[in-house]
Amino acid sequence: MRPVYVCQLPKELQREIEDILTRLLLYQCGGKDKAEDYFGMSLADAVQLGMESKIADIDCAAEPLKSGGGMADMPERIRKDVERLSEIMTQRTEMETEAPFLYLAGEQVGEGDYYELVNVIWHHGEDDYGLWQVQIPLYLVRNILNSPQNFVGDLDEVMDSVPLEPWPPDNTLHFLFPRGGRIVCCSMEMEEKFFAEYSIQGSSVRGSRDEIREELTILLSAEQAEESEEAER
């Protein structure tokens, strides 16, 4: 059975799971400070890591409470949270769709910091393209992959789908991800703080369609090879 990740669920259900997971971690650890000491990171980051996982892994957060036999002694809110997670697990097969499985965790590059290398493409004008490659946190990747503005195809189809950059330029970026032998182009309007933090990072190049296509072929082929190795593990 294909795994279902939290990031693939409807946004309303994602928010519900995030609230449940936060309450469970606080209850199990005995407070925010103890939770952050236990996980070695902020509570928000601990919850975010949980939100990057399969929903089966989220249900594991409640397993000690269920197996401990003390359900009757729990606060009513926590007991309902545990029961709700069990309901979600029961329904998980109904949540599966034929949509392409987009999400794939990237490499760990630092203690508790998870990033993925992404490619951003611009269509500046006739035979004029731009390409930017930069590492961004997985929580941003998850949000981008959840964008309703996405297109799946081969490299030429994806390049054809990228609209001309408007004038004056807006903050919409077009992200490319190799997934399952295809390429996913997700378009999203980014906040100013994103540009403030990442615009001077990574590497960029500008050129003709053929030049950018050649560059992308090399970059995406390497990423697809890494994706295959990750899947085999």
Side-chain angles (χ1 to χ4, degrees):
M1 180 169 56
R2 179 166 52 81
V4 179
Y5 280 69
V6 177
C7 66
Q8 293 177 293
L9 303 179
K11 290 184 178 180
E12 296 77 11
L13 189 53
Q14 289 187 46
R15 286 193 289 268
E16 182 183 5
I17 291 175
E18 184 176 15
D19 290 341
I20 290 174
L21 185 57
T22 300
R23 287 191 292 267
L24 288 180
L25 295 184
L26 286 171
Y27 176 72
Q28 289 173 303
C29 295
K32 181 178 178 181
D33 291 342
K34 291 182 179 179
E36 292 181 343
D37 286 343
Y38 178 80
F39 289 105
M41 63 183 72
S42 70
L43 178 64
D45 286 344
V47 171
Q48 184 60 56
L49 286 179
M51 296 296 289
E52 302 291 351
S53 64
K54 298 186 289 292
I55 61 172
D57 297 330
I58 293 291
D59 188 53
C60 288
E63 190 59 37
L65 299 176
K66 291 186 289 186
S67 60
M71 291 279 286
D73 299 327
M74 292 180 197
E76 182 179 6
R77 174 71 269 180
I78 299 300
R79 179 175 55 79
K80 288 184 177 180
D81 284 341
V82 174
E83 292 172 350
R84 177 58 180 149
L85 279 182
S86 295
E87 289 178 3
I88 292 172
M89 287 303 300
T90 301
Q91 298 168 1
R92 73 185 186 276
T93 54
E94 301 172 11
M95 299 172 190
E96 297 189 40
T97 69
E98 296 303 318
F101 177 55
L102 300 179
Y103 187 76
L104 178 70
E107 61 180 319
Q108 181 176 357
V109 297
E111 188 65 26
D113 296 322
Y114 292 79
Y115 290 79
E116 183 166 341
L117 192 64
V118 299
N119 298 285
V120 181
I121 188 171
W122 284 273
H123 188 182
H124 297 296
E126 185 178 354
D127 203 27
D128 184 6
Y129 285 80
L131 175 64
W132 177 37
Q133 189 174 60
V134 64
Q135 279 191 328
I136 61 175
L138 281 185
Y139 77 88
L140 285 179
V141 175
R142 184 198 68 167
N143 291 339
I144 293 164
L145 288 171
N146 275 333
S147 169
Q149 301 180 58
N150 62 74
F151 178 85
V152 183
D154 61 28
L155 183 52
D156 285 313
E157 291 170 332
V158 166
M159 291 188 75
D160 288 340
S161 75
V162 177
L164 279 170
E165 184 180 20
W167 187 261
D170 60 17
N171 288 345
T172 299
L173 296 182
H174 309 285
F175 296 85
L176 306 186
F177 302 92
R179 294 294 186 269
R182 305 276 276 173
I183 299 169
V184 181
C185 178
C186 297
S187 302
M188 176 173 282
E189 184 175 352
M190 308 303 290
E191 297 179 356
E192 290 293 343
K193 63 181 181 181
F194 173 86
F195 295 96
E197 184 167 356
Y198 296 102
S199 63
I200 60 173
Q201 299 186 31
S203 59
S204 61
V205 63
R206 185 166 178 171
S208 67
R209 179 190 173 101
D210 287 344
E211 290 170 333
I212 297 302
R213 188 189 187 286
E214 182 179 359
E215 185 76 15
L216 274 170
T217 298
I218 296 171
L219 294 175
L220 294 173
S221 295
E223 292 177 30
Q224 286 171 333
E226 291 179 4
E227 178 188 10
S228 298
E229 292 175 4
E230 179 74 18
E232 290 175 0
R233 291 198 291 269

Short mmCIF file of all heavy atoms in Angstrom, two decimals, residues 160-183:
data_model
loop_
_atom_site.label_atom_id
_atom_site.label_comp_id
_atom_site.label_asym_id
_atom_site.label_seq_id
_atom_site.Cartn_x
_atom_site.Cartn_y
_atom_site.Cartn_z
N ASP A 160 7.48 24.56 -21.45
CA ASP A 160 6.40 25.21 -22.21
C ASP A 160 5.31 25.74 -21.28
O ASP A 160 4.61 26.69 -21.62
CB ASP A 160 5.77 24.21 -23.19
CG ASP A 160 6.69 23.90 -24.37
OD1 ASP A 160 7.61 24.70 -24.62
OD2 ASP A 160 6.49 22.85 -25.01
N SER A 161 5.16 25.10 -20.10
CA SER A 161 4.08 25.49 -19.18
C SER A 161 4.42 26.72 -18.35
O SER A 161 3.53 27.33 -17.76
CB SER A 161 3.76 24.33 -18.23
OG SER A 161 4.75 24.18 -17.21
N VAL A 162 5.71 27.08 -18.29
CA VAL A 162 6.11 28.23 -17.47
C VAL A 162 5.71 29.52 -18.19
O VAL A 162 6.15 29.78 -19.31
CB VAL A 162 7.63 28.22 -17.21
CG1 VAL A 162 8.05 29.46 -16.43
CG2 VAL A 162 8.03 26.96 -16.46
N PRO A 163 4.87 30.35 -17.57
CA PRO A 163 4.39 31.56 -18.25
C PRO A 163 5.48 32.63 -18.33
O PRO A 163 6.46 32.61 -17.58
CB PRO A 163 3.25 32.03 -17.35
CG PRO A 163 3.61 31.52 -15.98
CD PRO A 163 4.29 30.20 -16.22
N LEU A 164 5.30 33.54 -19.25
CA LEU A 164 6.20 34.69 -19.34
C LEU A 164 6.14 35.49 -18.05
O LEU A 164 5.07 35.67 -17.46
CB LEU A 164 5.81 35.58 -20.52
CG LEU A 164 6.29 35.17 -21.91
CD1 LEU A 164 5.60 36.03 -22.96
CD2 LEU A 164 7.80 35.31 -22.02
N GLU A 165 7.30 35.97 -17.62
CA GLU A 165 7.35 36.78 -16.42
C GLU A 165 6.58 38.09 -16.64
O GLU A 165 6.80 38.78 -17.64
CB GLU A 165 8.82 37.08 -16.08
CG GLU A 165 9.00 37.85 -14.79
CD GLU A 165 10.48 38.10 -14.51
OE1 GLU A 165 11.28 38.04 -15.46
OE2 GLU A 165 10.81 38.37 -13.35
N PRO A 166 5.67 38.44 -15.74
CA PRO A 166 4.88 39.67 -15.93
C PRO A 166 5.73 40.92 -15.70
O PRO A 166 6.82 40.84 -15.13
CB PRO A 166 3.79 39.54 -14.86
CG PRO A 166 4.43 38.72 -13.78
CD PRO A 166 5.31 37.74 -14.49
N TRP A 167 5.22 42.02 -16.13
CA TRP A 167 5.89 43.30 -15.85
C TRP A 167 4.88 44.29 -15.26
O TRP A 167 3.83 44.51 -15.86
CB TRP A 167 6.52 43.89 -17.10
CG TRP A 167 7.33 45.11 -16.74
CD1 TRP A 167 6.96 46.43 -16.85
CD2 TRP A 167 8.62 45.13 -16.13
NE1 TRP A 167 7.93 47.25 -16.37
CE2 TRP A 167 8.98 46.47 -15.91
CE3 TRP A 167 9.51 44.13 -15.75
CZ2 TRP A 167 10.18 46.84 -15.33
CZ3 TRP A 167 10.70 44.50 -15.18
CH2 TRP A 167 11.03 45.84 -14.98
N PRO A 168 5.16 44.83 -14.07
CA PRO A 168 6.35 44.56 -13.28
C PRO A 168 6.33 43.14 -12.71
O PRO A 168 5.24 42.57 -12.53
CB PRO A 168 6.27 45.61 -12.16
CG PRO A 168 4.82 45.90 -12.03
CD PRO A 168 4.25 45.80 -13.40
N PRO A 169 7.51 42.56 -12.42
CA PRO A 169 7.56 41.18 -11.91
C PRO A 169 6.81 41.05 -10.59
O PRO A 169 6.79 41.98 -9.77
CB PRO A 169 9.07 40.94 -11.73
CG PRO A 169 9.73 41.95 -12.61
CD PRO A 169 8.84 43.16 -12.58
N ASP A 170 6.16 39.89 -10.39
CA ASP A 170 5.54 39.62 -9.09
C ASP A 170 6.42 38.63 -8.32
O ASP A 170 7.56 38.36 -8.72
CB ASP A 170 4.11 39.10 -9.26
CG ASP A 170 4.06 37.81 -10.05
OD1 ASP A 170 5.11 37.15 -10.20
OD2 ASP A 170 2.97 37.45 -10.52
N ASN A 171 5.92 38.12 -7.23
CA ASN A 171 6.72 37.22 -6.38
C ASN A 171 6.41 35.75 -6.63
O ASN A 171 6.71 34.91 -5.79
CB ASN A 171 6.48 37.55 -4.91
CG ASN A 171 7.13 38.86 -4.50
OD1 ASN A 171 7.98 39.40 -5.21
ND2 ASN A 171 6.74 39.39 -3.36
N THR A 172 5.81 35.44 -7.79
CA THR A 172 5.51 34.05 -8.10
C THR A 172 6.74 33.35 -8.65
O THR A 172 7.39 33.83 -9.58
CB THR A 172 4.37 33.95 -9.13
OG1 THR A 172 3.20 34.55 -8.57
CG2 THR A 172 4.07 32.49 -9.45
N LEU A 173 7.07 32.21 -8.03
CA LEU A 173 8.21 31.41 -8.49
C LEU A 173 7.70 30.06 -9.00
O LEU A 173 6.68 29.55 -8.53
CB LEU A 173 9.20 31.19 -7.34
CG LEU A 173 9.89 32.44 -6.79
CD1 LEU A 173 10.88 32.05 -5.70
CD2 LEU A 173 10.59 33.22 -7.88
N HIS A 174 8.45 29.49 -9.92
CA HIS A 174 8.09 28.21 -10.53
C HIS A 174 9.18 27.19 -10.15
O HIS A 174 10.30 27.25 -10.65
CB HIS A 174 7.97 28.35 -12.04
CG HIS A 174 7.07 29.49 -12.45
ND1 HIS A 174 5.70 29.43 -12.35
CD2 HIS A 174 7.37 30.74 -12.91
CE1 HIS A 174 5.18 30.58 -12.75
NE2 HIS A 174 6.16 31.39 -13.10
N PHE A 175 8.82 26.26 -9.26
CA PHE A 175 9.76 25.29 -8.70
C PHE A 175 9.65 23.97 -9.47
O PHE A 175 8.55 23.49 -9.74
CB PHE A 175 9.45 25.03 -7.23
CG PHE A 175 9.63 26.23 -6.34
CD1 PHE A 175 8.61 27.16 -6.18
CD2 PHE A 175 10.82 26.42 -5.64
CE1 PHE A 175 8.77 28.26 -5.35
CE2 PHE A 175 10.99 27.52 -4.81
CZ PHE A 175 9.96 28.44 -4.66
N LEU A 176 10.80 23.36 -9.79
CA LEU A 176 10.83 22.09 -10.50
C LEU A 176 11.34 20.99 -9.58
O LEU A 176 12.38 21.14 -8.91
CB LEU A 176 11.74 22.18 -11.73
CG LEU A 176 11.46 23.31 -12.73
CD1 LEU A 176 12.37 23.15 -13.94
CD2 LEU A 176 10.01 23.34 -13.15
N PHE A 177 10.62 19.85 -9.55
CA PHE A 177 11.00 18.70 -8.72
C PHE A 177 10.95 17.43 -9.57
O PHE A 177 9.91 17.17 -10.20
CB PHE A 177 10.04 18.53 -7.54
CG PHE A 177 9.95 19.71 -6.63
CD1 PHE A 177 8.99 20.70 -6.84
CD2 PHE A 177 10.81 19.84 -5.54
CE1 PHE A 177 8.89 21.80 -5.99
CE2 PHE A 177 10.72 20.94 -4.69
CZ PHE A 177 9.76 21.91 -4.91
N PRO A 178 12.04 16.65 -9.59
CA PRO A 178 11.96 15.34 -10.27
C PRO A 178 11.20 14.37 -9.38
O PRO A 178 11.53 14.19 -8.21
CB PRO A 178 13.43 14.94 -10.41
CG PRO A 178 14.13 15.63 -9.28
CD PRO A 178 13.37 16.92 -9.03
N ARG A 179 10.16 13.76 -9.92
CA ARG A 179 9.34 12.83 -9.14
C ARG A 179 8.89 11.67 -10.02
O ARG A 179 8.20 11.87 -11.02
CB ARG A 179 8.09 13.52 -8.55
CG ARG A 179 8.39 14.59 -7.50
CD ARG A 179 9.01 13.96 -6.24
NE ARG A 179 9.17 14.92 -5.17
CZ ARG A 179 10.24 15.65 -4.96
NH1 ARG A 179 11.27 15.56 -5.80
NH2 ARG A 179 10.32 16.48 -3.93
N GLY A 180 9.33 10.46 -9.66
CA GLY A 180 8.86 9.27 -10.36
C GLY A 180 9.14 9.27 -11.85
O GLY A 180 8.31 8.81 -12.63
N GLY A 181 10.29 9.76 -12.27
CA GLY A 181 10.63 9.79 -13.67
C GLY A 181 10.02 10.94 -14.45
O GLY A 181 10.26 11.08 -15.64
N ARG A 182 9.24 11.77 -13.80
CA ARG A 182 8.63 12.94 -14.42
C ARG A 182 9.13 14.18 -13.68
O ARG A 182 9.89 14.10 -12.71
CB ARG A 182 7.10 12.86 -14.33
CG ARG A 182 6.51 11.59 -14.93
CD ARG A 182 6.33 11.72 -16.42
NE ARG A 182 5.05 12.37 -16.71
CZ ARG A 182 4.68 12.75 -17.91
NH1 ARG A 182 5.48 12.56 -18.94
NH2 ARG A 182 3.49 13.33 -18.12
N ILE A 183 8.68 15.35 -14.11
CA ILE A 183 9.04 16.60 -13.46
C ILE A 183 7.77 17.31 -13.04
O ILE A 183 6.83 17.43 -13.84
CB ILE A 183 9.89 17.49 -14.38
CG1 ILE A 183 11.19 16.77 -14.76
CG2 ILE A 183 10.20 18.82 -13.71
CD1 ILE A 183 11.95 17.46 -15.86
#
